[in-house]
Amino acid sequence: GDSVTQTEGLVTLTEGLPVMLNCTYQTIYSNPFLFWYVQHLNESPRLLLKSFTDNKRTEHQGFHATLHKSSSSFHLQKSSAQLSDSALYYCALSVYGNEKITFGAGTKLTIKP
Amino acid sequence: EAAVTQSPRNKVTVTGGNVTLSCRQTNSHNYMYWYRQDTGHGLRLIHYSYGAGNLQIGDVPDGYKATRTTQEDFFLLLELASPSQTSLYFCASRDWGDAEQFFGPGTRLTVL
């Protein structure tokens, strides 16, 4: 079945440094949808980014990600971390016609002053 | 934006107890989902539904039943609760043709 791998469970950075959270996926289907969801403390997950177009950069709220089907990756990046970016980040995969979304295990990002 | 509500927000029960978690969405979305969230496991799908009267089995269904009574309402039932079911439960919905899911605020369940 489909799967999503987020290699880092915990990431701690200093404010102002760049952020990169890794996400790779596996699916037999050629047209996946990839998502990043963000969950702040005591809140529910909400969509941050989504993409289904190969090699096209998607941006929202200072974050960006590019779907690379050749490497099955959808890494999340930001040029300069802010304290408010501290949250749990989920990478997720869906394929057209499949009612389910497959979530990765999540990466907890902590930004320190 | 979709509105998804859950009740209760917190629940404590004992082992062997009977628990029902409720979810309502008010944007007429076709799909509704129940997840549990545990540290180290992320969001795991329990059951889901694509319409009233329909139920699909998710990835971690053991010990859970669910029922979709209307387009708006989706219930999760734990008939013999166990401590391993202590978790944070999220309901989510999405529309046909749009893969984005909208989550409710969550229900924290503790089984003693």
Side-chain angles (χ1 to χ4, degrees):
Chain A
D2 299 336
S3 66
V4 175
T5 300
Q6 295 180 247
T7 51
E8 311 101 348
L10 297 168
V11 173
T12 302
L13 293 171
T14 302
E15 187 179 17
L17 291 181
V19 177
M20 181 165 174
L21 305 184
N22 291 313
C23 173
T24 57
Y25 65 90
Q26 286 190 321
T27 180
I28 63 172
Y29 300 97
S30 59
N31 293 307
F33 288 81
L34 270 295
F35 307 84
W36 278 100
Y37 281 80
V38 59
Q39 183 180 15
H40 287 94
L41 189 63
N42 296 324
E43 295 182 4
S44 55
R46 62 173 176 81
L47 184 68
L48 178 61
L49 291 173
K50 64 180 178 182
S51 178
F52 59 88
T53 306
D54 199 12
N55 297 317
K56 181 179 178 181
R57 175 171 161 144
T58 300
E59 299 190 38
H60 187 61
Q61 296 183 336
F63 287 91
H64 63 92
T66 303
L67 174 59
H68 292 296
K69 293 184 181 180
S70 60
S71 57
S72 299
S73 67
F74 191 57
H75 306 317
L76 183 67
Q77 299 183 68
K78 187 177 185 185
S79 59
S80 177
Q82 298 177 290
L83 296 175
S84 58
D85 295 331
S86 294
L88 182 58
Y89 292 81
Y90 286 107
C91 184
L93 163 71
S94 179
V95 294
Y96 183 77
N98 191 334
E99 302 144 339
K100 296 174 16 175
I101 290 181
T102 301
F103 285 88
T107 297
K108 183 178 180 181
L109 176 64
T110 302
I111 308 299
K112 295 187 172 181
Chain B
E1 187 170 331
V4 182
T5 56
Q6 294 181 234
S7 62
R9 295 293 310 277
N10 289 280
K11 176 73 177 179
V12 180
T13 190
V14 296
T15 299
N18 200 321
V19 176
T20 298
L21 307 185
S22 302
C23 177
R24 166 165 284 199
Q25 54 93 8
T26 58
N27 270 31
S28 300
H29 284 173
N30 300 93
Y31 296 101
M32 295 185 75
Y33 303 81
W34 277 108
Y35 294 91
R36 62 178 290 173
Q37 183 180 42
D38 305 284
T39 303
H41 294 280
L43 290 161
R44 294 184 288 176
L45 181 64
I46 304 170
H47 291 298
Y48 63 105
S49 166
Y50 56 75
N54 174 264
L55 180 65
Q56 303 293 317
I57 295 175
D59 301 321
V60 290
D62 292 347
Y64 302 95
K65 294 183 179 180
T67 181
R68 179 93 175 266
T69 55
T70 65
Q71 183 80 346
E72 294 77 23
D73 298 303
F74 195 30
F75 301 92
L76 186 67
L77 297 82
L78 293 73
E79 293 185 333
L80 287 171
S82 73
S84 65
Q85 294 176 308
T86 293
S87 187
L88 180 57
Y89 291 86
F90 285 104
C91 176
S93 73
R94 74 171 178 93
D95 202 2
W96 177 267
D98 183 354
E100 178 181 356
Q101 293 195 357
F102 296 87
F103 285 82
T107 294
R108 185 166 296 280
L109 175 67
T110 302
V111 184
L112 301 175

